[in-house]
Amino acid sequence: MDSDQPARGSVLRNPAYVSFAASRVCSQLSFQAVTVALGWMIYDQTHSAYALGLVGFCQFLPMVILTFIVGHVADRFDRRRIGLACQIIEALTAALLAVAVWRGWLGPPGILVAVAVMGAVQAFERPTMAALLPNIVPTTMLQAAIATSTSMMQTALIVGPSVGGLLYGVDAVAPFMLAAVLFVIASFNVISIRMARRAPLARAPVTLSSVFAGVAFIRSRPLMLGTISLDLFAVLLGGATALLPIFARDILLAGPWGLGLLRAAPAIGALVMSIVLARHPLQSRVGAKMLFAVAVFGVATIVFSLSGNIALSVLSLLVVGAADTVSVVVRSSLVQLLTPDAMRGRVNAVNSLFIGTSNQLGEFESGMLAGLVGPVETGIIGGVGTIVVVLLWMRLFPALTKVETLNG
């Protein structure tokens, strides 16, 4: 048990990894703060739930449109420079938003344009930075590096919206100014990364087949296809967390404070589990443990849906977040280990699209189904469906159960 302690401890003593993690956390904090402030602002101006829906749509649409271009770019150019360019554009956008808010120029159309720009840049930044990580740490440390990065990103997901909302309440310009500064800090960190190893960049002519090579690569590898699709269907079916406002107000009778607890619980559970996995990486039977974690995700979703007690509901969502993190760490590690460096940009872009699609469509599916059968029934159906998917995937992708280690 203690033999791998030095390797785990060395993750945060790796200067390149520290720069990488600092860049990602600063960028995520900034993006979350800006998104919350813009959402609040457009609702202030329109009092329209439809306008809020457009904000989410404008974030998601660029990801769908740009996915395959993003992957190809990430495999042909220095990923650090791509990250730098993205964060500089984000810093400039945040600074322009601050000026526009200060001068009173920003209306709903401008907000939606800004959201679309940020969404497009994030569509480039996220898979590019994910593809960069294996060039920074040895494969034996990759699981610990991903778990540590996940814990930091979950912290940013908890802190970013809170900071954005708090600063917006103090001064509407403040969250955008802070975001601009943090994006600049992120850019300094990304360009300072020194890679431990660098594969030759792809220089083959750009063709339709090369652009869609990430899809072909994933389809040709049942283990990777099974891992990514398992997460896709689990999130699609188990999206009861999209119905939290209904549960908080109408079922648990908890009010706004209860909604805050329910929203925070999955992120807190994910943060705790990612810290545990960073200190104690999975050493054996990781495929079976991933499948078990997704099944636990389904069970916890059912418990949450049936609960009429706020404490039990929060506990269930803590388990949902923790179980999902096990799946995220195993999936991310497998995708990185099974993909040659020259393909990582395209494969990570497809992976990001799957994750984004499952989150957005999962919320849509839950909302539509809840309108037909009710929120409790929707949660139960989603949880049962998730468990059924696990059982099916054990039959369809038997290689998943045989994955023993994530040490390369």
Side-chain angles (χ1 to χ4, degrees), residues 14-24 129 186 188-190 192-194:
N14 182 330
Y17 180 77
V18 171
S19 295
F20 169 86
S23 178
R24 296 211 74 186
M129 294 296 285
F188 277 113
N189 276 282
V190 76
S192 69
I193 294 172
R194 296 290 177 266

Side-chain angles (χ1 to χ4, degrees), residues 31-383:
F31 180 75
Q32 293 297 325
V34 167
T35 301
V36 166
L38 289 176
W40 201 314
M41 185 176 295
I42 200 170
Y43 192 71
D44 271 347
Q45 294 181 7
T46 66
H47 302 287
S48 168
Y50 176 69
L52 283 175
L54 282 178
V55 170
F57 179 76
C58 287
Q59 288 181 38
F60 174 66
L61 186 61
M63 181 187 300
V64 176
I65 296 173
L66 297 173
T67 289
F68 300 106
I69 300 173
V70 168
H72 210 279
V73 169
D75 285 334
R76 292 179 66 85
F77 300 98
D78 188 330
R79 292 164 186 158
R80 295 169 301 173
R81 296 186 182 278
I82 297 171
L84 174 66
C86 290
Q87 289 160 1
I88 289 174
I89 294 171
E90 288 165 325
L92 290 173
T93 303
L96 287 173
L97 285 169
V99 173
V101 173
W102 173 54
R103 299 295 295 176
W105 296 336
L106 195 62
I111 291 172
L112 294 177
V113 170
V115 168
V117 170
M118 297 290 282
V121 178
Q122 284 282 307
F124 273 88
E125 182 182 348
R126 288 177 181 173
T128 299
M129 294 296 285
L132 181 60
L133 182 55
N135 298 128
I136 297 171
V137 299
T139 55
T140 53
M141 293 168 55
L142 187 59
Q143 183 191 163
I146 290 173
T148 302
S149 178
T150 300
S151 69
M152 294 178 182
M153 295 293 280
Q154 288 296 334
T155 302
L157 283 170
I158 296 169
V159 174
S162 302
V163 170
L166 179 62
L167 290 178
Y168 185 85
V170 174
D171 187 328
V173 177
F176 304 108
M177 289 300 298
L178 175 66
V181 172
L182 288 177
F183 277 129
V184 170
I185 294 172
S187 67
F188 277 113
N189 276 282
V190 76
I191 201 62
S192 69
I193 294 172
R194 296 290 177 266
M195 293 193 289
R197 56 196 176 279
R198 185 185 307 177
L201 296 172
R203 295 300 182 195
V206 178
T207 63
L208 195 62
S209 61
S210 68
V211 169
F212 288 92
V215 176
F217 184 88
I218 291 171
R219 287 184 59 189
S220 68
R221 285 153 179 82
L223 178 57
M224 188 179 295
L225 178 61
T227 302
I228 294 175
S229 59
L230 173 66
D231 180 80
L232 170 66
F233 284 102
V235 176
L236 271 174
L237 293 169
T241 52
L243 307 175
L244 290 183
I246 300 175
F247 280 92
R249 189 186 67 179
D250 300 333
I251 296 173
L252 299 173
L253 306 177
W257 68 270
L259 178 59
L261 280 176
L262 295 177
R263 285 198 179 279
I268 293 171
L271 173 61
V272 171
M273 179 56 71
S274 59
I275 292 172
V276 170
L277 292 177
R279 293 184 58 83
H280 305 285
L282 299 173
Q283 298 296 319
S284 62
R285 302 189 63 202
V286 295
K289 290 173 181 175
M290 177 184 67
L291 289 162
F292 178 75
V294 176
V296 169
F297 177 93
V299 172
T301 299
I302 295 171
V303 173
F304 167 76
S305 303
L306 292 171
S307 171
N309 178 275
I310 185 68
L312 178 59
S313 297
V314 169
L315 179 61
S316 301
L317 291 176
L318 287 169
V319 175
V320 164
D324 185 53
T325 297
V326 175
S327 173
V328 166
V329 170
V330 175
R331 184 193 71 241
S332 299
S333 300
L334 284 175
V335 167
Q336 302 289 31
L337 289 170
L338 295 174
T339 308
D341 190 69
M343 287 288 300
R344 282 198 178 108
R346 282 164 285 183
V347 170
N348 275 286
V350 175
N351 188 33
S352 293
L353 177 62
F354 272 51
I355 294 168
T357 300
S358 61
N359 288 331
Q360 298 291 334
L361 292 184
E363 292 180 5
F364 177 76
E365 175 269 334
S366 294
M368 294 300 100
L369 189 58
L372 292 173
V373 302
V376 173
E377 292 80 1
T378 297
I380 294 172
I381 291 170

